[in-house]
Amino acid sequence: MGTVPTRILVTGALGQIGTELVESLQNKYGHQSVISTDVRESEGCIQLDVMDAKKIEDLIQTKGITDIYHLAALLSATGEKNPDLCWKINVDGLVNVISAAKKYGCRLFSPSSIAVFGPDCPKHAPQVTGLNPTTVYGKTKVIGEHLAMSSEIDMRGLRYPGLISWKAPAGGGTTDYAVEIFHAALSEGHYNCFVREDTQLPMMYMDDAIRATLELMDTPFDSLGTSRGGYNIAGCSFTVGELVYSIQRHIPEFTCSFEPDVRQNYADSWPDSIEDDVARKEWGWIPKFDLDKIVDDMLENLK
Ligand code: NAD
Ligand code: SER
C-alpha cells in the first residue's frame, strides 16, 4: 500500500503567519496540495469561519485533507478588547478543528505563544513552569496546549515569540510595535511606540518561525515528548531601545518616542527571553536570525 499524499488545510491563512506559511507549504508539497482558508474573503482563498464545524468537516472530507495548520485566532491586543469573542474563536474554534481532525485522522499544528506565561514565570522562561497568564488570550493558549496533549490525535504546537516580518502586517498583538517601527522608520523617520523603551520581549524573524514549524511537523511523532503542545523556541530577545539603535545603523536620523498604553501591561506580564533546550534536544531547533540580521533584512525588503 502506498503512502497517502499530504493534503493541507490552513485556517487563518491571510494573516501574518499564514501569508508566508502557505507559500512555504506550497513550495514543499505543491501548489494544489495546500487549501487556504480564512474568514476574510480573498482570491485563491476559501472563505471558512472556524466557528462553522460542519464546513470544516466538509472541506476536510471533500479535499482529502491529511494535515491541518490552524492559524485562525484573535491575538492579544484585539483579544483583550473583546475577551468573549477571543475565547470563542481561540477555544471553541480550536475544539471544532480538533473534533474534525480526530474524525478524519488528520495531523494538526496549532500555535501557542509566549503569552502562556504570567508574571510568576522566571524572566528567562523555562519550558516547564507554572502557566498563569493574566490575559484571556494567554489563557486560551494554555487551554490549546492542554488539548494538544489530551485529544488523542497527532497535535503539535510552538510557543511563538513576537514575530517580525515584512510580507503581511502584524495582526493585532502586543508585539506589533516590532513590525510597525520599520514601516514608520522608512515612511516618517519617526515612531511613537506604545510600550516603554526598556521593554524586552522574546522575538523571532518570520523565516525562523516558518522553518521551525516545518521542522517540527517533519519530526517523527515518537521523538516528541510532553512539550509537544507548545515548545519554547527562542529567536532573539531585545529591548525597544536596542531595536531603535539597530535601525539607526541604517537610518541615523530615525527617532522614537514612547507613549505606553494598556499593551504595556501585557508585555510586562510576559518573560524577557525563552529557554528552548527541549526543542533543541527533541527536534534539533536552532535559530538563525539575531537582531541586526533581522533589521538588515526587514529594511532591505521594505525599501
Ligand atoms: P493574524 O491576526 O495575522 O491572522 C489570523 C487570521 O485569522 C486572520 O487572517 C483572520 O482573518 C483569521 N480569522 C480570525 N477569525 C477567524 C475565524 N473565526 N475563522 C477563520 N479565520 C479567522 O495572526 P497571526 O500572527 O498570523 O497568528 C496566527 C497564529 O499564531 C495565532 O494562533 C496566534 O495566536 C499565533 N501566534 C502569533 C504570533 C505573532 O507574533 N504573529 C506570536 C505567537 C503566536
Ligand atoms: N505576538 C503575539 C501577541 O502579541 C503573542 O502571541 O499577541
Side-chain angles (χ1 to χ4, degrees):
M1 231 169 65
T3 39
V4 181
T6 304
R7 294 271 295 170
I8 294 166
L9 180 80
V10 182
T11 70
L14 296 176
Q16 189 192 7
I17 299 176
T19 300
E20 303 206 27
L21 183 63
V22 164
E23 212 175 282
S24 297
L25 291 169
Q26 286 172 339
N27 289 339
K28 185 168 170 157
Y29 295 101
H31 203 275
Q32 301 305 323
S33 303
V34 184
I35 312 298
S36 297
T37 72
D38 200 287
V39 73
R40 290 184 277 159
E41 274 184 78
S42 176
E43 206 191 320
C45 185
I46 296 174
Q47 199 176 11
L48 172 69
D49 184 337
V50 293
M51 300 315 298
D52 188 342
K54 177 162 185 322
K55 191 161 180 186
I56 297 171
E57 284 200 18
D58 287 349
L59 270 174
I60 291 176
Q61 198 180 18
T62 54
K63 304 285 185 189
I65 298 300
T66 58
D67 295 16
I68 304 169
Y69 291 74
H70 175 52
L71 306 179
L74 291 195
L75 272 66
S76 59
T78 316
E80 297 315 291
K81 276 190 206 150
N82 200 338
D84 292 344
L85 185 63
C86 180
W87 192 271
K88 248 179 120 151
I89 294 175
N90 294 13
V91 178
D92 298 350
L94 174 59
V95 168
N96 288 341
V97 172
I98 290 174
S99 305
K102 199 167 182 175
K103 187 161 170 187
Y104 293 98
C106 303
R107 302 193 316 144
L108 173 57
F109 173 79
S110 180
S112 187
S113 163
I114 53 163
V116 292
F117 300 112
D120 59 332
C121 172
K123 279 298 169 192
H124 184 64
Q127 175 70 48
V128 180
T129 184
L131 300 180
N132 299 299
T134 53
T135 60
V136 171
Y137 171 72
K139 293 182 206 303
T140 69
K141 292 295 174 185
V142 174
I143 290 178
E145 291 193 11
H146 284 305
L147 289 173
M149 303 312 292
S150 62
S151 59
E152 294 169 349
I153 60 170
D154 179 345
M155 179 170 166
R156 309 167 182 204
L158 297 168
R159 290 173 181 160
Y160 287 133
L163 299 181
I164 300 175
S165 67
W166 55 271
K167 289 190 184 167
T174 302
T175 57
D176 288 15
Y177 66 83
V179 177
E180 292 173 4
I181 196 169
F182 290 97
H183 295 270
L186 287 168
S187 61
E188 315 287 329
H190 179 77
Y191 182 58
N192 188 29
C193 185
F194 56 77
V195 294
R196 283 190 320 268
E197 184 173 8
D198 64 353
T199 304
Q200 181 174 347
L201 285 174
M203 297 283 181
M204 179 174 283
Y205 203 41
M206 188 62 84
D207 299 42
D208 271 344
I210 300 294
R211 188 170 51 78
T213 307
L214 300 181
E215 286 177 5
L216 173 65
M217 290 304 275
D218 277 346
T219 304
F221 185 78
D222 290 347
S223 307
L224 307 177
T226 51
S227 302
R228 169 168 59 81
Y231 282 100
N232 279 8
I233 47 166
C236 51
S237 170
F238 48 82
T239 64
V240 190
E242 288 163 340
L243 175 56
V244 170
Y245 188 72
S246 185
I247 293 173
Q248 285 169 336
R249 289 178 303 122
H250 294 267
I251 311 172
E253 64 281 12
F254 172 60
T255 55
C256 189
S257 50
F258 299 91
E259 204 176 326
D261 65 20
V262 68
R263 290 169 282 188
Q264 183 71 58
N265 301 336
Y266 314 148
D268 287 345
S269 74
W270 297 345
D272 292 350
S273 59
I274 292 285
E275 177 55 60
D276 60 2
D277 52 337
V278 179
R280 285 173 185 259
K281 188 163 155 256
E282 291 187 7
W283 49 277
W285 166 244
I286 298 178
K288 290 192 178 157
F289 283 81
D290 63 15
L291 171 58
D292 285 347
K293 215 170 152 193
I294 292 174
V295 170
D296 296 349
D297 207 64
M298 281 293 285
L299 291 175
E300 178 63 29
N301 282 295
L302 286 175
K303 263 191 253 166

